[in-house]
Amino acid sequence: MKILGLESSCDETAASVVEIDETNGSIKPLSNVISSQIKLHAKWGGVVPNLAAREHLKNILPVIESGLAEAGVSKDEIDLIAVTHGPGLIPALLVGTNTAKTLSLAWEKPLLGIHHIEGHIYANFINKKDADIKFPALCLVVSGGHTQLVLMKKHLTYEIIGETQDDAVGEAFDKVARILGLGYPGGPAVASAAATCEFQSFDFDVHFPRPMLKKTNFDFSFSGLKTAVLYFVKKNPKEIKNKKFIAEVAYEFQQAAVEVLVTKTIRAAKKYSPKTILLAGGVSANTELQTQLTQAIEDNLSKTNFSFPEIAYQLDNATMIATAAYFRHKALTNKKSLLSTWKNLQTKANLELPKK
Ligand code: KG4
Ligand code: ZN
C-alpha cells in the first residue's frame, strides 16, 4: 500500500509517500519533501505561530505536489492519507489537518490523524521491516517540546514512565544557544560549538549541575541547567565573544544534559528489561547523545538492541507520520470508517500519546 503523509505541527511543511510491501512488511520511503521555515523564524529567535501558519498555507500544496512527483506516484495510487493533528502549534496544525481533510473528501481516500511523537518513535521503522524491532521497547523521546521515557509493551501502546517537569531538552539547547549568541535553531549550533572544544585544556572553571540525576524516578528537569548557564555567562561578561569560552560552556552544558538522559534511560532499562531501546525526536540528531547512549547500552545491557532514526528522519518530516499510520491502519478492524474521518478530525495543542 502507498501512504501520503503530511506534517505541519511546527516550522516544517512536509509531505512524503511511503510504500509498504504487505507481504514482508518492508517500509520504504518514496519521497521525503521538507520545506523548512528556519530562516523566517531565525530573526525572532524562535517559531512565531502565526508566521508559521502563513508559510504552511503558502507551501503545503506545492510540497504535496513535489512529494507525489518525487515518488512518481499519482493521487489515484494513494491508499491512505495521514496527517499530524497534535501536539503542536494550533495555527500550524490547522493548515496540515484541514488540507488533509479536504484531500480525503475530494479524492475519496481514507484519512488518519497521527500523534507527532508517535511519528517520531515510528521513524525508527523507516527502511526496516515491521518485525525488525522487538517489543517491549523503551523510547527516549527528546524534542523541542518533549522529553519523556516511554515504555511500549507492544505496538501503539505507550506508558510514560518519566518526563520533564519543566523545559524539554531541545528547548534547553535552544535557550542556551540564545544565551551564547549562537542563533536559532539552537541544538545543532550548541553541538557544533561543543565539538570545537579542546577538552584537555579547559581555560574556564565551568561545571553545571546534572538535574534530577540522583532522584530514583525517571523524570527530568532542564530549566535549572539553563539558568546555571545563564548565571555563569553573566558572571563572565567579558568572555561572551570568546570562542573558547563559548565552546567550553556549550560542551559542559551538552555533557550535563546527555549524562542525565543516558543515566536515566539505562536505569529505566534495568528496571523494565526492554528488548529494544529507541531514540526519537529532533535531539536524536545529537551525535554526542547517540555515541554515549550506544556505549552505555553496550556496557550495561549487552542483550538490548538500540535504534535511532536515519539522519533524514530525525527532525520533523512526514515519512515518520506515514510510517506510524501504516501500523495504526493495520491494527484497525473497521478500516472503512476512515473514509469519513474528514468529518470530525480535530487538532489539539497538547494531544497525549494514546495509552492503548
Ligand atoms: O523533533 P523536532 O524536530 O521538533 C519538535 O518536535 O520539537 O526537534 C527540534 C529540537 C529543537 O529544540 C532543536 O534545537 C533540537 O531538536 N535539535 C538538536 C539537534 N538538532 C536538533 N539538539 C541537540 N543537538 C542537535 N544536533
Ligand atoms: Zn518533532
Side-chain angles (χ1 to χ4, degrees), residues 233-278:
V233 170
K234 280 197 169 157
K235 244 174 64 187
N236 294 277
K238 289 200 195 107
E239 308 294 348
I240 193 59
K241 294 250 150 50
N242 178 347
K243 282 217 165 99
K244 189 125 196 294
F245 175 80
I246 290 173
E248 289 181 17
V249 171
Y251 176 86
E252 172 61 9
F253 161 75
Q254 182 173 258
Q255 288 304 312
V258 167
E259 185 179 335
V260 179
L261 292 170
V262 170
T263 306
K264 294 238 167 180
T265 304
I266 298 297
R267 209 182 280 159
K270 284 184 175 163
K271 176 167 177 190
Y272 292 98
S273 306
K275 291 204 169 108
T276 312
I277 293 176
L278 303 174

Side-chain angles (χ1 to χ4, degrees), residues 67-250:
L68 290 168
E70 280 184 25
V73 166
S74 78
K75 70 174 176 42
D76 299 333
E77 294 171 81
I78 295 296
D79 300 296
L80 174 67
I81 300 170
V83 65
T84 307
H85 68 122
L89 307 168
I90 288 295
L93 285 164
L94 284 172
V95 178
T97 308
N98 199 40
T99 305
K101 288 167 77 157
T102 307
L103 292 181
S104 168
L105 172 64
W107 295 351
E108 297 176 15
K109 303 283 183 189
L111 171 65
L112 254 174
I114 295 294
H115 191 289
H116 182 75
I117 296 300
E118 181 167 69
H120 274 303
I121 292 171
Y122 275 91
N124 282 286
F125 286 79
I126 298 168
N127 282 321
K128 296 210 179 92
K129 295 204 177 98
D130 70 9
D132 281 353
I133 289 178
K134 305 280 182 254
F135 290 91
L138 177 70
C139 315
L140 175 62
V141 175
V142 278
S143 72
H146 289 74
T147 305
Q148 296 176 320
L149 273 164
V150 181
L151 185 65
M152 291 176 75
K153 291 198 174 122
K154 55 187 171 78
H155 274 297
L156 309 171
T157 65
Y158 308 94
E159 186 190 335
I160 296 169
I161 59 168
E163 63 188 327
T164 184
Q165 303 299 296
D166 40 57
D167 291 356
V169 63
E171 194 180 348
F173 268 92
D174 292 334
K175 287 177 176 168
V176 165
R178 212 178 304 165
I179 294 166
L180 294 175
L182 296 174
Y184 169 87
V190 171
S192 309
T196 65
C197 186
E198 298 154 28
F199 59 91
Q200 256 103 7
S201 64
F202 265 60
D203 285 358
F204 299 91
D205 183 21
V206 46
H207 184 79
F208 297 135
R210 273 61 176 157
M212 317 259 301
L213 189 67
K214 296 218 166 77
K215 283 235 163 92
T216 51
N217 65 17
F218 304 114
D219 287 337
F220 302 96
S221 163
F222 292 101
S223 159
L225 175 56
K226 166 210 69 193
T227 308
V229 174
L230 180 66
Y231 286 162
F232 188 76
V233 170
K234 280 197 169 157
K235 244 174 64 187
N236 294 277
K238 289 200 195 107
E239 308 294 348
I240 193 59
K241 294 250 150 50
N242 178 347
K243 282 217 165 99
K244 189 125 196 294
F245 175 80
I246 290 173
E248 289 181 17
V249 171

Side-chain angles (χ1 to χ4, degrees), residues 7 9-10 12 116-117 120 142-146 281-282 314-317 320:
E7 156 66 41
S9 66
C10 192
E12 257 93 34
H116 182 75
I117 296 300
H120 274 303
V142 278
S143 72
H146 289 74
Q314 289 165 351
L315 302 180
D316 289 350
N317 66 89
M320 68 186 197

Side-chain angles (χ1 to χ4, degrees), residues 294-316:
T294 304
Q295 192 60 50
I297 291 167
E298 254 176 57
D299 293 347
N300 292 279
L301 310 151
S302 58
K303 292 202 183 99
T304 311
N305 295 311
F306 176 47
S307 163
F308 56 87
E310 288 176 18
I311 196 159
Y313 312 110
Q314 289 165 351
L315 302 180
D316 289 350

